[in-house]
Amino acid sequence: MSEISTRYNPAETEEKWYRHWESSGYFKSVPDDREPFTIVIPPPNVTGVLHMGHLLNNTIQDILIRKARMDGKNACWVPGTDHASIATEAKVVRWLREEFKLRKADISREEFMQYAYQWKDKYGGIILQQLRRLGASCDWDRTAFTMDPQYYQDCVRMFVDLYEKGKLYRGLRMVNWDPEALTVLSNEEVIYSEENAQLFHLHYRLEGGEEGVVIATQRPETIFADVAVAVNPKDERFAHLVGKKVLIPLINRAIPVIADDYVDIEFGTGALKITPAHDPNDYEIGQRHQLPVIDILTDNGYLNEACGFEPLIGKERFEARKAIKPLLEAAGVLVKIQDYQTKIGRSERTNCVVEPKLSLQWFVKMTDLGAPALRAVMEGEIKFFPANFQNLYRNWMDNLRDWCISRQLWWGQRIPAWYLKAEANNKETAIFVAQSAEEALEKAKKATGNPQLTLEDLRQDEDVLDTWASSWLWPISVFNGFAEPEGEINYYYPTNVLVTGWDIIFFWVARMIMAGYEYKGERPFQSVYFTGMVRDKNRRKMSKSLGNSPDSLALLDTYGADGVRFGLMSSAAAGGDLIFDAPFGADGTILNESALCELGRNFCNKMWNALRLVKGWKTIEKAESEEILRKNELAVRWMTEKFQQTLAQVEADFQSYRLSEALKSLHALIWDDFCSWYLEMIKPGFEQPIDRGTYTATLHLYGNLLRALHPFMPFITEELWHQLENRPAGEDICAQSYPAQIPADQALIQQVESIKEVITKIREIRNQNQIKPKDPLEVCIQSSSSARQLFELTGAREMMEKMAVLSSLEFVETEPSNAKSFISGTDQYYVILNKQIDVEAERAKLTEELTYQQGFAASVEKKLSNEKFVSGAPAQVVENERKKLADANARIAILEESLRKL
RNA sequence: GGGCGCAUAGCUCAGCUGGUUCAGAGCAUCUGCCUUACAAGCAGAGGGUCGGAGGUUCGAAUCCUUCUGCGCCCA
């Protein structure tokens, strides 16, 4: 035994087993006659690295897929990566600058794409290697990428299809504009945070008079784009001004005063300048009142000619804000400046303040797409875990706005729309949306009636698709469902469950549901398991930029994949955030440590040492005595039933995706029931052998535990599975079936629980009286029918004698002297002590217990004497109460008797 | 401003359909053990008015109302 280390070494085993599993083809899936169980991975960014969120998310998927595999299903977990248009493009741009001293503007689109693919080939897919370290049992042959030629083609096909169905249009809309990256941003890419800002109070003079109105604005440089001043129609202060005109300071352009409910009477001065080109709300108000739009900013955020105020033309927006202040003061219109806090949106990538901008973009009409997607979730066709995410989902689906899917980037699927070169940029009237340039040309020839047109006369839209507008096709496209709708997608689709963070419920989950119904007429997945966010001790979301996230690979090194998986899962209820406990060092940097993962590592050690114990036993054919045999047989019976009891719980937990609960049940079963109780029950004396029957049964039980745990902790279970017994080739645990469920014998479990309770109470008395664990004790049992019944269970007496270390265990009619007593159930036990009992202390203890029992009995009696309870409550509940009362009364009788004798 | 959620032991959280598997787990704390698999361990213990108040019910941590204190999403 000395040759086996007392510590489990994950580094040695994990790589070995992963390689073995992969080369054995266990993770591969091809359609067959088994029931499929499909998961598509939420594709991580192709150039991303494994972070804590990935660890959690992919551990959950792996647990589900391994369980399904062991359940005999055709388990298929499709891995892949997302091209992550804006994030990757930003990285490529930086790489070009740093490695090649190139700016994006210096090279052609084609050259840029070549570099981008180079970058992708070099750094892409690292994360997929890292997922292997975690144990992820993906079918790697199916690895997909959202920019694969086939996937690209599906996006084009989708675009053309939506356009032809009238569900896609090109239009001028308010969008989030990043003036530095020069692209539209999705809402998700805009990070809002509280910042200090200033509220300028400006006086707008009434046309032809001195009176006027004071408005409050945070952006005085945009006054040149004002087209109105709005007040609330209920605001009496300004009622007389509505319909009149006021003059914009500095340029004295006249604009109307209008009334609109949007204006908050309480905020600022109650009067709001309306600047449709530079504020989304103002734009909507402008639309309502048919006001013009004056755009005074260039794409990179400089004031343009349209502002009509010479001194500021060509100034950057924030420069202009500084510059305008003295000018306003000089003009006598600056009433005051007020500091205040407001939410400012910045670009996730460039940290540049996002500019609302009116821009010509492609939009998907959401109303038609949203209806079936909302219905599916509300009617439970797609189930959410936890269910209350339905509310969040509905809230968003009820307020759908058209989806801007064009991005001014190169890295992505280029929008398949062509325009006539003869028409000016962004002024196109003729749009040809087609699968290819050639098709577009045909359409153009027809539409224009000009057969002389050539490809040279056409210009393709410069923009690419929003990343989500490709990833919403993921569950369909990874099975080539567009090109081969009758192919294997018919087998794998709809997928079984999607596992993802709730933060992308709108961006991805909702849209996949829409795409599913649009293109397959069917839900893309049966269930969605929402994971929580992994947060640090201060409840901040772990992120690279905050530097509060441990290095996930370092964690895997320190605790092993199983240790990390356990640490994450043991406290990650579905939807609940996970407060990860990695502490910070003195210098404020995150330490790659975790008490949670330590628990997982300790658990591995525990199982490892259980193996060392069991494998160290010598066996003999027959137990040395009948007593040992009876004890061991009871232990095996009990452990078998206990296993079944927990297994039923685990299966139920899997049904409702309560994976943390399932893991905790298995942890308790293995650590407490199996190691602390069962192994101690059957453990032979020092250097003593164990009977073969018990030994074989123990190996079998141990194997069952390993199989039940395997989905959660795949590596150590595989290692122990093979250490436990010599297995023929191919008998790997990951290809075993999950243990079969058989109803557990609850009565037997209850009887052994009673025995364990007595053992624990004897140990407690040992502790209190400083008796060494190995000193044998004499214990007497007050004779009663219930006590005799308990010990009629074969092996019960022997089990108690061993576990409590007793020299004798006898029934008595009268209380022995010099004994400490305790009550278990309704029976009294006496532990004989070779010393004088402190009578007063004993009396006090008994009296306290008696008082409690009497109070308890009284409360139960009161309940039972309530006619409404007896007639109203279910019979089982009433019966339970009667039993409680009877037991309490029995205990009271024992206590009173004991007190009398003292 | 609109919506959603949370409050249970010192900490982090379970607690599913209202009822003895209802007041739980892990960590932390305390006591005793280097016991022959494991000190990354073993045997025990203490600790809570389930945020406050009211209501429904035979019965409430659980359902309803309200207050307080915190999150989050959307505008």
Side-chain angles (χ1 to χ4, degrees):
Chain A
M1 188 158 50
S2 56
E3 71 272 16
I4 309 179
S5 159
T6 61
R7 304 276 159 85
Y8 167 63
N9 184 345
E12 279 176 16
T13 53
E14 292 183 352
E15 202 199 331
K16 171 184 77 182
W17 285 120
Y18 199 90
R19 213 173 21 227
H20 175 72
W21 292 331
E22 202 178 347
S23 65
S24 303
Y26 289 134
F27 307 155
K28 282 195 182 33
S29 170
V30 288
D32 59 22
D33 52 7
R34 288 175 297 168
E35 184 188 338
F37 186 94
T38 318
I39 297 180
V40 291
I41 205 168
N45 288 2
V46 65
T47 58
V49 292
L50 201 64
H51 60 59
M52 297 305 294
H54 293 129
L55 288 183
L56 174 63
N57 182 274
N58 288 290
T59 296
I60 292 165
Q61 292 175 73
D62 195 45
I63 291 167
L64 295 172
I65 211 84
R66 283 181 187 269
K67 173 68 163 53
R69 195 177 288 126
M70 294 179 82
D71 281 339
K73 294 178 184 159
N74 187 344
C76 180
W77 184 10
V78 182
T81 49
D82 190 308
H83 67 286
S85 161
I86 190 167
T88 306
E89 178 150 332
K91 283 182 190 169
V92 173
V93 166
R94 193 183 326 137
W95 179 59
L96 284 174
R97 195 173 58 225
E98 288 168 4
E99 286 288 311
F100 307 99
K101 308 285 177 245
L102 281 173
R103 290 182 309 158
K104 188 182 165 191
D106 297 335
I107 56 177
S108 71
R109 184 176 192 131
E110 287 66 34
E111 287 172 309
F112 180 86
M113 291 302 275
Q114 281 172 12
Y115 280 116
Y117 274 109
Q118 256 183 52
W119 165 272
K120 179 247 164 186
D121 290 340
K122 189 166 176 190
Y123 299 100
I126 290 175
I127 194 163
L128 299 181
Q129 287 303 326
Q130 294 172 330
L131 282 174
R132 289 172 165 90
R133 294 254 343 248
L134 184 65
S137 58
C138 304
D139 182 353
W140 298 107
D141 291 348
R142 293 179 174 273
T143 303
F145 176 48
T146 52
M147 285 277 275
D148 283 338
Q150 171 241 314
Y151 202 110
Y152 194 119
Q153 197 51 44
D154 290 346
C155 294
V156 169
R157 196 191 301 255
M158 170 277 293
F159 190 97
V160 174
D161 175 70
L162 284 183
Y163 184 76
E164 286 174 353
K165 289 192 289 203
K167 293 177 176 176
L168 180 69
Y169 64 92
R170 194 181 189 218
L172 198 60
R173 290 288 185 284
M174 266 292 172
V175 293
N176 302 304
W177 181 261
D178 181 335
E180 203 175 307
L182 298 178
T183 180
V184 167
L185 299 175
S186 67
N187 294 339
E188 193 247 356
E189 291 156 331
V190 180
I191 311 296
Y192 291 91
S193 57
E194 288 282 337
E195 293 190 24
N196 292 320
Q198 292 182 318
L199 208 52
F200 288 68
H201 291 243
L202 304 179
H203 186 259
Y204 282 44
R205 188 161 55 83
L206 201 58
E207 192 180 35
E210 274 311 301
E211 199 206 349
V213 58
V214 175
I215 58 95
T217 179
Q218 181 201 316
R219 306 191 59 188
E221 74 279 9
T222 64
I223 59 172
F224 312 115
D226 289 355
V227 295
V229 165
V231 296
N232 191 293
K234 294 193 195 78
D235 196 335
E236 288 163 11
R237 295 173 297 176
F238 302 115
H240 63 290
L241 292 176
V242 175
K244 298 196 173 149
K245 290 198 166 182
V246 294
L247 299 174
I248 299 173
L250 302 179
I251 54 170
N252 289 325
R253 180 157 51 76
I255 52 172
V257 177
I258 60 170
D260 195 287
D261 285 329
Y262 171 78
V263 182
D264 182 355
I265 297 176
E266 304 294 322
F267 185 78
T269 63
L272 185 66
K273 77 189 197 61
I274 301 301
T275 319
H278 302 297
D279 183 281
N281 295 312
D282 291 11
Y283 180 75
E284 279 182 27
I285 295 170
Q287 292 292 96
R288 277 204 286 278
H289 297 267
Q290 280 109 46
L291 296 168
V293 176
I294 303 172
D295 187 344
I296 62 158
L297 289 175
T298 62
D299 284 352
N300 50 0
Y302 286 69
L303 269 64
N304 64 20
E305 300 284 336
C307 83
F309 187 64
E310 194 60 38
L312 294 182
I313 293 173
K315 281 214 184 294
E316 194 271 335
R317 52 195 171 138
F318 294 106
E319 289 302 314
R321 189 178 302 173
K322 273 183 207 153
I324 200 171
K325 190 175 145 190
L327 300 173
L328 293 166
E329 267 171 343
V333 295
L334 183 56
V335 180
K336 68 169 174 177
I337 295 179
Q338 187 187 346
D339 288 332
Y340 87 123
Q341 288 240 315
T342 187
K343 290 220 164 173
I344 305 273
R346 289 177 179 272
S347 164
E348 190 188 19
R349 293 291 144 200
T350 61
N351 202 36
C352 186
V353 174
V354 166
E355 189 65 46
K357 185 179 170 63
L358 205 54
S359 175
L360 197 55
Q361 305 288 345
W362 285 94
F363 293 87
V364 176
K365 283 187 196 169
M366 295 303 261
T367 38
D368 291 355
L369 289 170
L374 177 60
R375 185 199 55 77
V377 172
M378 287 305 130
E379 292 179 2
E381 196 169 294
I382 296 173
K383 289 196 171 58
F384 281 2
F385 294 91
N388 54 343
F389 278 106
Q390 279 182 3
N391 293 327
L392 187 64
Y393 181 82
R394 180 173 51 200
N395 190 251
W396 191 71
M397 295 297 279
D398 283 343
N399 296 290
L400 280 178
R401 287 176 303 166
D402 286 354
W403 173 22
C404 176
I405 61 164
S406 45
R407 293 290 182 277
Q408 289 65 57
L409 300 165
W410 283 345
W411 178 243
Q413 298 89 4
R414 190 168 180 180
I415 285 176
W418 282 263
Y419 314 110
L420 294 170
K421 277 185 183 167
E423 294 185 310
N425 275 336
N426 295 325
K427 303 273 187 247
E428 299 89 353
T429 54
I431 301 175
F432 310 105
V433 171
Q435 305 265 355
S436 65
E438 289 72 23
E439 274 182 37
L441 179 62
E442 286 311 306
K443 287 186 176 176
K445 282 180 182 168
K446 246 185 226 155
T448 59
N450 176 5
Q452 307 305 318
L453 283 179
T454 67
L455 286 174
E456 281 302 301
D457 297 314
L458 294 183
R459 170 180 73 229
Q460 186 176 0
D461 197 301
E462 292 293 328
D463 295 352
V464 299
L465 289 179
D466 174 14
T467 295
W468 301 110
S470 62
S471 56
W472 74 327
L473 304 179
W474 188 250
I476 303 172
S477 205
V478 296
F479 297 115
N480 204 10
F482 286 93
E484 294 176 19
E486 297 308 319
E488 64 174 17
I489 189 159
N490 276 341
Y491 181 73
Y492 290 116
Y493 189 99
T495 67
N496 290 72
V497 56
L498 176 80
V499 180
T500 189
W502 53 259
D503 54 333
I504 53 173
I505 185 170
F506 309 137
F507 301 104
W508 195 46
V509 180
R511 285 167 182 162
M512 274 192 290
I513 296 173
M514 293 179 195
Y517 285 97
E518 182 71 17
Y519 289 109
K520 294 302 295 176
E522 215 181 337
R523 56 187 175 172
F525 24 73
Q526 296 165 18
S527 307
V528 183
Y529 178 112
F530 287 105
T531 68
M533 299 295 111
V534 184
R535 298 179 186 278
D536 71 8
K537 287 225 134 179
N538 303 322
R539 292 184 177 271
R540 295 176 305 176
K541 191 170 157 182
M542 281 186 172
S543 75
K544 212 164 143 189
S545 53
L546 279 173
N548 60 346
S549 179
D551 177 350
S552 48
L553 294 176
L555 283 180
L556 291 173
D557 283 339
T558 309
Y559 301 104
D562 292 321
V564 172
R565 289 167 68 118
F566 181 92
L568 287 168
M569 291 312 297
S570 62
S571 57
D577 285 356
L578 174 68
I579 311 295
F580 198 73
D581 61 325
F584 292 94
D587 60 351
T589 57
I590 193 93
L591 300 176
N592 293 312
E593 294 171 8
S594 158
L596 284 171
C597 294
E598 204 173 302
L599 291 178
R601 185 181 58 183
N602 293 354
F603 186 30
C604 289
N605 269 328
K606 188 70 181 176
M607 289 187 280
W608 180 254
N609 278 294
L611 174 87
R612 290 179 64 228
L613 175 68
V614 171
K615 294 303 282 182
W617 288 335
K618 300 271 181 296
T619 56
I620 49 170
E621 280 313 308
K622 274 191 75 182
E624 291 153 300
S625 68
E626 283 301 309
E627 285 76 16
I628 291 176
L629 188 63
R630 281 200 292 270
K631 175 202 68 170
N632 286 358
E633 280 177 354
L634 178 59
V636 170
R637 275 180 72 199
W638 170 72
M639 191 63 219
T640 304
E641 298 305 330
K642 194 71 194 171
F643 174 73
Q644 285 301 335
Q645 185 188 44
T646 305
L647 188 64
Q649 187 58 51
V650 167
E651 290 285 1
D653 286 339
F654 263 105
Q655 289 301 311
S656 48
Y657 291 101
R658 296 159 56 87
L659 302 184
S660 293
E661 298 298 310
L663 178 56
K664 280 192 262 189
S665 299
L666 288 170
H667 176 258
L669 178 72
I670 293 171
W671 196 302
D672 300 332
D673 296 315
F674 185 68
C675 293
S676 295
W677 284 99
Y678 173 76
L679 290 180
E680 294 297 334
M681 286 172 185
I682 62 159
K683 189 171 165 179
F686 187 51
E687 305 258 284
Q688 299 291 303
I690 189 166
D691 65 280
R692 182 164 302 285
T694 303
Y695 184 72
T696 308
T698 302
L699 293 187
H700 182 68
L701 280 166
Y702 200 164
N704 279 350
L705 294 170
L706 293 174
R707 283 194 289 152
L709 185 66
H710 176 74
F712 299 89
M713 304 177 78
F715 292 107
I716 186 158
T717 47
E718 188 73 84
E719 176 69 18
L720 293 176
W721 176 258
H722 287 276
Q723 295 265 357
L724 205 53
E725 294 183 57
N726 281 323
R727 315 267 178 190
E731 288 235 339
D732 298 310
I733 201 169
C734 81
Q736 293 295 305
S737 60
Y738 207 69
Q741 264 190 95
I742 305 161
D745 181 346
Q746 299 297 341
L748 178 78
I749 291 171
Q750 196 45 54
Q751 283 174 303
V752 176
E753 282 310 312
S754 299
I755 294 166
K756 284 168 64 189
E757 184 182 307
V758 174
I759 293 165
T760 297
K761 290 193 168 177
I762 294 171
R763 285 171 175 173
E764 190 180 341
I765 288 178
R766 233 182 229 289
N767 263 346
Q768 285 165 354
N769 295 279
Q770 276 107 47
I771 302 166
K772 289 206 156 49
K774 281 193 292 188
D775 287 352
L777 289 172
E778 290 173 52
V779 169
C780 302
I781 314 157
Q782 182 72 46
S783 178
S784 75
S785 61
S786 60
R788 287 190 182 276
Q789 199 188 342
L790 178 61
F791 284 91
E792 270 167 23
L793 177 66
T794 308
R797 164 183 293 272
E798 293 81 1
M799 181 178 285
M800 192 176 291
E801 284 172 345
K802 173 171 172 75
M803 296 300 282
V805 190
L806 305 182
S807 55
S808 72
L809 181 63
E810 305 293 342
F811 283 99
V812 294
E813 297 298 331
T814 55
E815 182 168 347
S817 57
N818 284 346
K820 283 264 191 183
S821 69
F822 64 87
I823 294 172
S824 178
T826 55
D827 295 312
Q828 191 164 31
Y829 293 78
Y830 309 101
V831 179
I832 313 291
L833 298 181
N834 293 319
K835 65 174 188 184
Q836 199 61 39
I837 301 298
D838 180 341
V839 176
E840 280 317 307
E842 196 66 10
R843 189 191 307 279
K845 197 191 87 184
L846 290 171
T847 308
E848 187 191 4
E849 180 64 19
L850 180 62
T851 308
Y852 172 83
Q853 292 293 345
Q854 284 168 334
F856 180 75
S859 77
V860 177
E861 230 160 25
K862 190 178 160 206
K863 196 185 269 190
L864 282 168
S865 61
N866 182 334
E867 187 49 43
K868 283 182 177 169
F869 171 72
V870 177
S871 57
Q876 188 57 52
V877 174
V878 178
E879 192 46 48
N880 271 332
E881 292 299 314
R882 293 220 165 92
K883 173 106 173 49
K884 274 158 63 177
L885 181 60
D887 288 355
N889 283 333
R891 285 193 286 268
I892 287 167
I894 293 169
L895 288 163
E896 282 173 344
E897 178 67 17
S898 293
L899 277 168
R900 199 164 30 244
K901 283 178 187 156
L902 268 176

